Amino acid sequence: VRRICELIKEKKLQVAWGCCNGRSDQLAKFDDEMWALLWETGCRTVLIGVESGSQKTLDIMNKDITVEQTVKVIETTAKFSIKVYCSFLVGIPWSNDQASCRESVKEEFAITLDFMDKLLGISPRLRIMFFVYLPYPSSDLFEKAASLGLTLPNSLEGWSTYLMAAEDARNIIQHQKWITREQMLATLMISSYIFFFLDPDSIGYVKERVKNPVLMLMGITAFYVFKAVCSFRWRRRWFGAPVDFY
């Protein structure tokens, strides 16, 4: 990474780049000098798979990272105004007992939301992406998921909807029987709706795409109304009655 940045600097390339993938354990080793070099040579965004705020969850997944490493990355990138996209998931198959598993998922869900809040307190420009755990055949936790009632597609078309995030909130296809439909809807709402409006950079998307002054005013007004609703939802952890989301 350092050599790539040095070459960009040597060639005097005026480029902005980002969404480069990294692991928390690797990025936590970068010192301030490295992050300063990344910013200087055009790095503006980084994507990391945080996965969970629960260390127990990370250990079961064999993720080989710690929540402390993620906190360090967010603290350091915030100093250099590098935006971090954090990918989370919830709903690993904790045990072969469905009732017990649902209780564990409920606890995992709450811990992860609190961890998101902690990271946002460090860097408000953080962008959260949230998914429901969905194992593929031959992956580590697949057999345990199958014992809990994981349903698999029986056609090529069916596999096209075998997704960690639903494409349509009104038509969620649920393969995991140990996760409630309400939890699935909440993860989608948090990821694609709440954190879009809570992201301070999102208003820029509206301003860039609307040129008509009247439509611009209407768009900005609507944006801040939805932002207030999303802020209320997030503070209260209220994801029910999603009429504004639909």
Side-chain angles (χ1 to χ4, degrees):
V1 176
R2 183 182 297 275
R3 183 55 183 152
I4 291 172
C5 291
E6 289 172 345
L7 286 171
I8 292 174
K9 194 172 180 179
E10 288 173 16
K11 301 293 183 180
K12 298 181 180 179
L13 301 178
Q14 301 300 314
V15 295
W17 54 282
C19 278
C20 45
N21 294 356
R23 285 176 52 89
S24 293
D25 56 339
Q26 296 169 339
L27 297 179
K29 297 175 183 177
F30 286 11
D31 56 20
D32 283 5
E33 181 186 356
M34 184 69 236
W35 285 111
L37 179 61
L38 282 162
W39 174 263
E40 182 185 358
T41 53
C43 180
R44 296 295 179 263
T45 60
V46 174
L47 169 65
I48 57 176
V50 180
E51 314 306 3
S52 178
S54 163
Q55 188 61 53
K56 187 185 296 186
T57 301
L58 295 174
D59 293 342
I60 291 175
M61 293 170 58
N62 294 318
K63 183 68 179 180
D64 291 330
I65 64 171
T66 66
V67 292
E68 290 80 12
Q69 288 168 334
T70 296
V71 170
K72 182 178 179 181
V73 173
I74 302 306
E75 288 174 339
T76 310
T77 51
K79 290 194 295 184
F80 295 94
S81 299
I82 294 177
K83 186 181 185 74
V84 181
Y85 288 78
C86 292
S87 174
F88 287 85
L89 55 78
V90 69
I92 66 169
W94 287 85
S95 71
N96 292 325
D97 178 70
Q98 194 170 101
S100 174
C101 190
R102 284 200 171 195
E103 283 302 310
S104 296
V105 169
K106 183 178 179 181
E107 179 184 358
E108 174 195 0
F109 197 91
I111 291 172
T112 294
L113 295 190
D114 288 344
F115 189 57
M116 290 177 183
D117 242 352
K118 179 177 181 176
L119 298 183
L120 285 165
I122 300 169
S123 178
R125 288 186 66 226
L126 206 69
R127 183 58 181 270
I128 302 292
M129 299 177 293
F130 202 17
F131 306 99
V132 175
Y133 179 79
L134 185 60
Y136 281 82
S138 299
S139 58
D140 289 347
L141 297 176
F142 177 77
E143 293 302 327
K144 185 178 285 187
S147 72
L148 288 168
L150 176 71
T151 59
L152 294 175
N154 55 18
S155 68
L156 186 61
E157 182 180 2
W159 280 105
S160 70
T161 62
Y162 193 76
L163 305 169
M164 290 193 298
E167 295 179 334
D168 183 352
R170 291 164 295 187
N171 188 31
I172 293 176
I173 298 175
Q174 184 173 353
H175 299 278
Q176 310 92 326
K177 302 305 180 185
W178 61 97
I179 301 171
T180 66
R181 186 175 179 82
E182 289 72 25
Q183 288 169 332
M184 295 194 73
L185 179 61
T187 59
L188 183 60
M189 177 187 284
I190 290 168
S191 184
S192 62
Y193 174 54
I194 290 178
F195 278 109
F196 172 77
F197 285 101
L198 295 188
D199 184 343
D201 295 329
S202 292
I203 187 63
Y205 302 142
V206 177
K207 294 179 178 178
E208 287 174 2
R209 287 161 174 74
V210 181
K211 304 303 179 184
N212 183 288
V214 176
L215 293 179
M216 172 76 79
L217 179 60
M218 293 172 61
I220 291 175
T221 301
F223 180 91
Y224 283 107
V225 168
F226 278 105
K227 184 181 180 74
V229 172
C230 288
S231 180
F232 175 83
R233 280 189 174 278
W234 180 247
R235 290 197 312 271
R236 300 288 183 173
R237 298 291 194 270
W238 180 53
F239 310 116
V243 291
D244 51 314
F245 178 43
Y246 287 151

